[in-house]
Amino acid sequence: MAQRDLQEWIKRLIVERRLPPGASLPTEPELMELLGVSRNSVREALKALQAMGIVEIRHGFGTYVGPMSMAPMVEGLTFRTVAAHYRGEDSLRQLLELREAVETGLVARLAGRVPEEDLAELDALVGRMEKEADSPDGSVAAATDRAFHATLYRGLGNPLLGEVLEAFWEAFHRVRTDLADVPQDPHVTCRQHRDILDAVRSGDAIRAEQAIRDHFTNIRRRLTATPQQDR
């Protein structure tokens, strides 16, 4: 049996048995018997699936269904962006535009629909941004920015979409930290997040979309003004 077919068989087993993340998979000898293949073939297939986050190999304990997280996607996006940068491509801007396209396409759907408890949390996050902007360090923490965007789109009730947005955010900020020291005007950052929140709360879809565009335009302008490092 070809390696790809073996991997597909194990994935199909997970689906057909409706195994959730963390569930135990058949042992290596059991898989060998079921599939009629060697131990080495089974191990190679499991290693490949582990790299994708589909299975988790716990040495000494067995093999389990993996978390099926977006981590491989983040690693792929990050590596692709860094590699393209060193080939002379404007890859950080391309990744930013991917985030912008997704978020502007979604924010109008949120206008007037964000639950009160989420609005309260968003208010608190913008308040934290404002305190961070006025602190001696004078910068908005990446974790606060991340929490704002994650909370904003939580109201769509689509966990998969939330994971994809988180993956885009993580990849962009990891690459940005690696390739460019992007200057920040923390008070502009605070104001723009406040504008997004006010527009969503008011139910004005057009204003909400424009506020997101303004936010990304500001980030793009800062990227353009910052020479990226050549390593």
Side-chain angles (χ1 to χ4, degrees), residues 35-80:
L35 301 170
V37 295
S38 68
R39 183 182 297 272
N40 186 60
S41 295
V42 169
R43 287 183 173 176
E44 289 303 312
L46 291 175
K47 285 179 183 178
L49 293 173
Q50 180 171 240
M52 302 176 204
I54 294 173
V55 306
E56 180 183 358
I57 301 170
R58 302 176 192 172
H59 295 289
F61 294 93
T63 305
Y64 300 81
V65 178
M68 302 185 195
S69 73
M70 292 292 175
M73 178 180 174
V74 172
E75 293 300 326
L77 273 174
T78 301
F79 180 77
R80 183 189 186 284

Side-chain angles (χ1 to χ4, degrees), residues 149-227:
H149 288 265
T151 304
L152 178 65
Y153 295 104
R154 188 169 64 200
L156 291 172
N158 186 329
L160 178 59
L161 179 60
E163 289 182 34
V164 170
L165 288 169
E166 280 275 289
F168 289 166
W169 193 99
E170 174 73 11
F172 176 77
H173 280 268
R174 281 174 55 179
V175 174
R176 187 187 72 170
T177 300
D178 187 52
L179 297 183
D181 182 16
V182 181
Q184 177 185 174
D185 184 333
H187 294 97
V188 170
T189 299
C190 293
R191 186 183 72 246
Q192 290 182 334
H193 284 83
R194 177 68 70 185
D195 288 346
I196 294 168
L197 175 55
D198 289 346
V200 168
R201 176 184 276 122
S202 72
D204 189 334
I206 295 175
R207 182 181 159 205
E209 184 175 329
Q210 187 57 52
I212 284 286
R213 290 191 185 281
D214 289 344
H215 177 48
F216 279 98
T217 296
N218 179 52
I219 299 173
R220 189 181 301 106
R221 186 178 298 118
R222 288 189 279 126
L223 282 176
T224 303
T226 304

Side-chain angles (χ1 to χ4, degrees), residues 127-139:
R128 188 192 305 171
M129 287 183 183
E130 291 165 347
K131 288 181 180 179
E132 290 169 347
D134 290 333
S135 69
D137 181 54
S139 63

Side-chain angles (χ1 to χ4, degrees), residues 115-137:
E116 283 299 323
E117 58 269 26
D118 287 354
L119 289 172
E121 188 173 337
L122 290 165
D123 263 323
L125 287 166
V126 175
R128 188 192 305 171
M129 287 183 183
E130 291 165 347
K131 288 181 180 179
E132 290 169 347
D134 290 333
S135 69
D137 181 54

